[in-house]
Amino acid sequence: MEKRVWTVGDVLSWTVNYLAEKGVSSPRQDVEYLLSYVIGTTRVQLYMQLDRPMNKKELTLFKALVKRRLKREPLQYITGVAYLWKYEFLVDKGVFIPRRETETLIEVATFHLKRRERAFIADVGTGTGCILLSLLKDNPSLYGVGIDISPKAMEVFLKNRARLKLTDRAWGLRSDLFSAFPERELFDAVVSNPPYVKSHEIEELQDEIRLYEPVEALDGGRDGLDFMRRLIREAFPRIKRGGFLCVEVGMGQAEAVTFLMRRAGFTGIEVEKDLSHIERVVTGWKH
Ligand SMILES: C[S@@+](CC[C@H](N)C(=O)[O-])C[C@H]1O[C@@H](n2cnc3c(N)ncnc32)[C@H](O)[C@@H]1O
């Protein structure tokens, strides 16, 4: 019997239906990414190759990746990359996957840093480095340090720093908040997307997050604000006069974070919403 030839188009439509039947939430997007990864092309170019037959090696690799996705492994851990702002970041198991809503924090910080010359920034809980590296890449007069307690995050941060050619302006430091950083060094700005999920809500998160993402990147303690309380208190003395602290917050946390910032001495506090109209970023100034 003649063996069936599977073209890119056949594989695309068959797998989209299959993943949809299995309850994967964005089957077309996932299949597009996995297929382009396997045949080494972009998502757009994929559609120019729909009639191209896939060889045995490609089919075997693709099947293995689809199996991983069916076990709810996030797409970004399978392909090893995530996209945020204008850039591609390497990700790996053990490191938080950058989220779209973090672009609001990058946007707010970019606005406040626009007219600053040689500003020194700390990104606390930097993960892949997506916040700090985006800010530095866009503005060549900035420099800064990405701080993370996780050795794996630091490893990935350093790779992203090299890929984005920022080794001369970005440093990485493994540290519990600012503890390993010299006290006399002051920052023009501190930015952070901290762990802010309430401990008891972690079990209710979707499988992709609950089973695969590092818990220390998510868990904010009983009310989700454990890290935030420490960050706000410890950041204030580390910021220069005229500088600011800009943090991402979870849904419903903006008011409590505003209160914590005011109590620590910050003034002119502003709250910014994300694209879904959720209060997402709180900024406070040290005057
Ligand atoms: C929500 S993730 C954010 C990662 C990245 N900034 C982003 O926006 O994609 C929080 C990060 O904080 C780090 N972290 C948790 N506790 C920390 C601590 N005590 N000191 C420094 N970093 C910490 C985690 O390892 C994780 O990378």
Side-chain angles (χ1 to χ4, degrees):
M1 207 170 71
E2 214 179 304
K3 262 202 179 159
R4 173 165 181 191
V5 175
W6 284 87
T7 63
V8 169
D10 296 335
V11 173
L12 180 73
S13 51
W14 189 90
T15 321
V16 169
N17 288 335
Y18 184 62
L19 288 191
E21 269 170 31
K22 299 283 178 189
V24 172
S25 59
S26 47
R28 177 161 294 274
Q29 178 191 300
D30 288 8
V31 176
E32 285 172 359
Y33 273 115
L34 293 178
L35 258 180
S36 20
Y37 175 81
V38 168
I39 65 174
T41 183
T42 65
R43 270 169 84 197
V44 175
Q45 282 166 355
L46 197 64
Y47 284 92
M48 295 170 203
Q49 304 193 32
L50 293 178
D51 295 330
R52 169 193 181 290
M54 286 183 68
N55 64 39
K56 198 165 166 236
K57 206 168 140 205
E58 289 168 338
L59 284 170
T60 310
L61 174 61
F62 180 71
K63 259 192 227 163
L65 302 186
V66 169
K67 259 193 200 158
R68 286 169 64 181
R69 188 65 195 100
L70 277 176
K71 289 186 187 149
R72 298 298 188 263
E73 184 170 344
L75 187 68
Q76 294 88 338
Y77 287 154
I78 300 175
T79 59
V81 291
Y83 298 90
L84 195 81
W85 199 239
K86 306 165 206 168
Y87 306 111
E88 181 186 89
F89 295 94
L90 298 178
V91 282
D92 205 346
K93 278 190 203 108
V95 184
F96 185 81
I97 299 168
R99 303 292 205 278
R100 193 59 58 221
E101 52 267 31
T102 300
E103 292 186 340
T104 308
L105 170 62
I106 298 176
E107 213 171 332
V108 172
T110 298
F111 176 78
H112 292 312
L113 289 164
K114 212 166 36 189
R115 274 176 234 97
R116 302 248 176 163
E117 280 295 314
R118 291 202 60 74
F120 186 40
I121 303 158
D123 175 11
V124 186
T126 196
T128 56
C130 58
I131 302 170
L132 180 77
L133 300 176
S134 296
L135 293 172
L136 266 55
K137 195 73 194 160
D138 282 1
N139 182 343
S141 80
L142 304 177
Y143 58 117
V145 57
I147 295 172
D148 208 292
I149 201 165
S150 145
K152 187 74 202 180
M154 206 27 63
E155 192 186 310
V156 172
F157 168 86
L158 293 175
K159 282 187 191 160
N160 283 320
R161 176 182 82 144
R163 279 183 108 210
L164 289 165
K165 302 194 170 37
L166 286 167
T167 38
D168 54 342
R169 288 191 288 129
W171 293 273
L173 181 68
R174 223 192 110 204
S175 171
D176 176 13
L177 275 97
F178 300 99
S179 59
F181 207 80
E183 263 175 46
R184 60 193 149 68
E185 292 284 349
L186 296 183
F187 303 103
D188 296 279
V190 172
V191 293
S192 182
N193 172 20
Y196 55 63
V197 182
K198 293 178 186 155
S199 304
H200 69 272
E201 287 178 356
I202 290 179
E203 270 309 297
E204 295 155 24
L205 295 173
Q206 64 192 88
D207 288 355
E208 276 84 349
I209 307 173
R210 190 173 57 83
L211 301 176
Y212 291 95
E213 295 213 57
V215 73
E216 69 274 17
L218 303 166
D219 194 347
R222 206 166 61 84
D223 65 353
L225 295 172
D226 278 3
F227 184 107
M228 199 72 87
R229 266 187 281 274
R230 276 189 67 203
L231 174 69
I232 292 173
R233 201 176 50 234
E234 294 180 26
F236 190 79
R238 303 265 185 174
I239 296 177
K240 291 180 194 165
R241 294 217 166 270
F244 64 89
L245 168 66
C246 187
V247 292
E248 179 172 321
V249 299
M251 211 188 332
Q253 293 178 342
E255 202 183 321
V257 171
T258 301
F259 170 80
L260 291 170
M261 278 200 192
R262 198 171 293 134
R263 197 175 64 178
F266 289 99
T267 51
I269 298 161
E270 295 160 14
V271 177
E272 207 66 47
K273 291 186 176 152
D274 66 15
L275 291 174
S276 313
H277 305 287
I278 294 167
E279 292 185 326
R280 185 60 70 191
V281 175
V282 184
T283 311
W285 295 82
K286 178 166 171 178
H287 285 124

